[in-house]
Every structure is written in structure tokens, then in C-alpha cells.
Amino acid sequence: MLQTIYPILVLAALLVESAIGYPSRLFAAIGHPVTWIGAAIGWLDDGLNRTDVSPARRRFRGVLVALVLAGTAALAGHGIEKLSIGLLGDTAGWLLVAVLMSSLIAGRSLDDHVAAVATALESGGTEAGRKAVARIVGRDTAGLDEAGISRAAIESLAENYADGVVAPAFWGVVGGLGGAAAYKAVNTADSMIGHLNERHRDFGWASARLDDLVNLPASRLAALLLVLAGLFHRHADPAGAIRAIRRDARRHRSPNAGWPEAAMAGALGFRLAGARSYGGVITDDPAMGDGRAGLGPADIRAALGLYRIALVVQGLGLLGLAVLLVLVRALM
């Protein structure tokens, strides 16, 4: 059974992250959990993913790497959680754990980076917008016009809401700091080695598949939260979000990204995704939503408004889950 404290722990982590984010001075001094995990992944990639090893052996090593990374992160997070409570007591200990967990959530930084794209378009035009959006997307940005820049920013907002906010929160509810840390390790491994290029086709296969698996519940939950947020956004259509999810979510090339993207597109009357360029290669992806494709900075800000409401809905859901767990335990 879920621990009663975990939903409150995650809610506190979300509040801490939204209030202070991850301070730049702290990053400059000690880095960030993602950079630490990334350094370990890079070391393992250099040492184990060698071209003189057969593809089958590289795939086997990749499976072990994915499992070891997730297991080590889970054990480290669980150990830090227990040590914090043991040394500081319940109140101070759980508060420290919430602060530590906040470093695994990217709600504020996501908001800042996406808002920066809208600001760049408004103040500096297309060229400034391209530079801003290039910081948050992996596609080619040199040829994007204002509409393409805006769609890229909104797609990034929707997808990263799922895997940067909802997913670590979900696994934090399931497994506390250890659950959130394990998720972050898997997600970071996917972003670094889970690519279908020649070097990582075999070694990164397990990391990519495991990331798909752990993001599956969060992507659906993120879509639901965006639908519910549409009830409180004056320009959103929750019914349109549901229609887009049912029609388009499973057509996305990613098993997970289509859910929040379709929800965002349908709620706000946008058309997202479609043809995009990665490394000079055009991908003819299906569209998410059937609304306007000619988007601009005002539409980015509308998407940010929906996202912020979804964060509030998410927080209220965590609070409600905590109350439900208390009631269930009282009745047992």
C-alpha cells in the first residue's frame, strides 16, 4: 500500500521547486543530480559500449546498465530518506527530503524556458525566437518561422510536463525519494543513450524501452490533468482535448508524448507535431489536434496558462490522495 506521507512529500517538493527552483549558485558549486547521473552514464558508455564488442553483447551490457542505474538511484534515494528521518526526526527530516526531491522536478525551469521563447519572439523576432527554442528542443531550428517556433515551444511544454513534472511526482508517490531518483536515472539514460543512431542502437535499447515503460502512466495522467485544467481556463475546450486524445495520441511516433501533446492541442484549438527536421532528416509525423497551426507568442502564453492550472490541479490531487489514504488507514 502507498505510504500516507508520500503524496504530501511530493506536494511539498512541487511547492519548493515552484518557489525557488534549483538555484544557479548551487548548480555552479556542486552541479545537479542530472549532471551527476549523466557523468556516470557517460563513463559507462565510454567503457562498455565499445565497437570491438558484438551488437548482442552491447545490448546485454545496455540492459545491465539500465537496471543498475535505476537500482542504484532507488537505493541511494531510499537510503538518504531513511538517514534524513533518522538524524533529524520526522518534521525536519521530511522537509529535507522534500527539498532534495524538488531537485528532481523541473516545473519552474520548464515554465521559465518556454516563457523565454515567447519573450524572445515578442522582443527580438524570429531569429531570437530560434535561439531561445533551440535550448529546449532537439529538432533543427534554423529554418523555423514564428509559427514553427511557437509550435516547438508548446510541444516541448506538453511533453516535458509529463516527463519533467508528472513522472517524477508519480514515482515519488509510489516510492518516495528513491522512486523519483530511479525515474530520473532512467529518463536521463534515455536522453543520453536511448537513440536510434549507430552508436547507441544496441547499447541504449534497454534504456529507451525502460523509459517508455516508466513514462506510460505519467503521460496518461498528464493528459488527464490538462483536460481537467481546461475546465478552469477561459479559452480552453476540455471536450476538444478529449477528442484529440482519443483520435491522435496513439498515432504519435512516441508511445507517450502524444498524450499530453494531443491534450494541449485539443484543449486550445491548436495543431501540433506534423513534419519536423532532425539532423537534416524530415520526419512526417501525424498532427496532434486539428486546429490552427499558425501560432505565435500569445499562443505560447495561453499554453503556459493551461500548464500552470494543471500544476494546481495536480497539487490538489496530491492533497486529495493524502486525505484518502489517511481515511483508508483509519478504517482498516
Side-chain angles (χ1 to χ4, degrees):
M1 184 176 180
L2 295 177
Q3 287 202 37
T4 307
I5 190 64
Y6 281 167
I8 296 299
L9 171 66
V10 173
L11 177 57
L14 286 168
L15 291 173
V16 169
E17 197 275 337
S18 67
I20 64 174
Y22 193 84
S24 56
R25 289 185 179 181
L26 185 61
F27 181 82
I30 65 171
H32 185 277
V34 170
T35 65
W36 308 336
I37 296 168
I41 294 168
W43 180 74
L44 291 168
D45 187 27
D46 290 340
L48 299 176
N49 188 23
R50 301 197 310 270
T51 56
D52 61 337
V53 177
S54 70
R57 187 172 292 274
R58 288 202 301 271
R59 179 168 291 204
F60 176 72
R61 289 180 176 183
V63 171
L64 292 181
V65 164
L67 295 176
V68 168
L69 282 170
T72 301
L75 289 172
H78 182 70
I80 291 170
E81 184 179 295
K82 292 298 182 184
L83 183 63
S84 299
I85 305 305
L87 292 177
L88 301 177
D90 283 347
T91 302
W94 284 117
L95 181 58
L96 175 59
V97 174
V99 171
L100 294 174
M101 184 182 285
S102 73
S103 69
L104 305 175
I105 298 168
R108 177 169 175 156
S109 63
L110 176 60
D111 191 302
D112 289 344
H113 280 88
V114 174
V117 178
T119 300
L121 284 171
E122 291 164 343
S123 61
T126 302
E127 188 57 37
R130 287 173 184 155
K131 291 179 181 178
V133 81
R135 299 186 183 102
I136 59 173
V137 299
R139 73 193 66 179
D140 301 330
T141 60
L144 294 180
D145 59 8
E146 180 177 277
I149 294 166
S150 299
R151 289 195 302 273
I154 295 168
E155 290 162 19
S156 181
L157 176 64
E159 183 175 354
N160 284 290
Y161 173 50
D163 61 22
V165 181
V166 177
F170 175 87
W171 291 107
V173 169
V174 172
L177 184 60
Y183 168 77
K184 208 65 179 180
V186 171
N187 188 243
T188 304
D190 175 63
S191 68
M192 291 184 64
I193 62 175
H195 306 293
L196 291 177
N197 56 31
E198 190 60 33
R199 174 170 175 77
H200 294 120
R201 187 179 305 277
D202 297 300
F203 188 70
W205 174 84
S207 292
R209 299 290 77 76
L210 185 57
D211 184 70
D212 287 342
L213 180 63
V214 297
N215 273 302
L216 189 147
S219 63
R220 278 67 175 170
L221 180 56
L224 174 61
L225 290 167
L226 288 168
V227 170
L228 294 175
L231 296 171
F232 306 99
H233 189 292
R234 62 176 181 168
H235 298 304
D237 177 11
I242 293 172
R243 286 194 300 271
I245 292 168
R246 295 180 63 182
R247 183 186 62 236
D248 300 330
R250 290 183 175 85
R251 301 194 301 139
H252 200 286
R253 63 191 174 98
S254 163
N256 295 312
W259 291 77
E261 284 190 25
M264 182 76 78
L268 296 174
F270 298 161
R271 185 165 75 251
L272 302 176
R276 291 168 286 188
S277 175
Y278 294 88
V281 178
I282 301 296
T283 62
D284 188 18
D285 297 324
M288 299 289 109
D290 57 3
R292 293 183 296 113
L295 308 181
D299 298 306
I300 298 176
R301 297 200 184 280
L304 282 167
L306 186 68
Y307 162 73
R308 291 162 184 162
I309 295 171
L311 289 176
V312 175
V313 174
Q314 183 179 348
L316 292 174
L318 288 166
L319 186 60
L321 177 59
V323 171
L324 178 62
L325 290 175
V326 169
L327 291 175
V328 170
R329 284 188 180 277
L331 295 173
M332 290 179 64

